[in-house]
Amino acid sequence: MAHNSTTTITATFGTREAADIAVEHLVQQHRISRPDIFIQANGKRNSAGSLPSGGDASHPGGVRHDAALEGDIEVSVEITPDKIPAVQRSLGDSGAIRVTRK
């Protein structure tokens, strides 16, 4: 008997860089199709995360503070129940601040 139910896993990241790494792990390690993965600001304002990373963190003049650091980045994915433990662990290993399931 096939199991057709899905569960939404949502992870919150402080940087866009960590969210992007998490998405790559979901696609490459867990073979989740990109159209099944959603990335958005965790709030109403446009955001690059809540913490400096990448070029903002390694700027020659010190950490830049002019980026749109208006809030965290949220990654959500619909998965089958058999993938829940591995996906939750992968999101945590990618730097998620919080991982929830609905």
Side-chain angles (χ1 to χ4, degrees):
M1 179 189 259
H3 201 291
N4 292 335
S5 69
T6 60
T7 299
T8 302
I9 302 293
T10 303
T12 305
F13 296 88
T15 66
R16 178 63 190 227
E17 178 182 31
D20 287 342
I21 289 170
V23 169
E24 289 306 311
H25 287 184
L26 293 173
V27 171
Q28 295 176 17
Q29 295 174 352
H30 303 288
R31 302 201 182 276
I32 297 171
S33 179
R34 285 186 192 274
D36 294 330
I37 303 169
F38 303 92
I39 305 170
Q40 64 185 15
N42 188 15
K44 294 182 181 191
R45 300 187 76 170
N46 189 24
S47 179
S50 57
L51 302 168
S53 68
D56 293 330
S58 61
H59 192 266
V63 176
R64 293 182 57 176
H65 297 286
D66 59 345
L69 301 177
E70 303 292 337
D72 296 326
I73 304 295
E74 183 178 277
V75 174
S76 60
V77 60
E78 292 277 327
I79 58 172
T80 55
D82 60 312
K83 292 187 176 187
I84 292 171
V87 167
Q88 286 178 322
R89 188 171 38 258
S90 181
L91 292 168
D93 291 347
S94 297
I97 298 167
R98 182 173 41 264
V99 178
T100 58
R101 159 180 153 183
K102 294 180 185 173

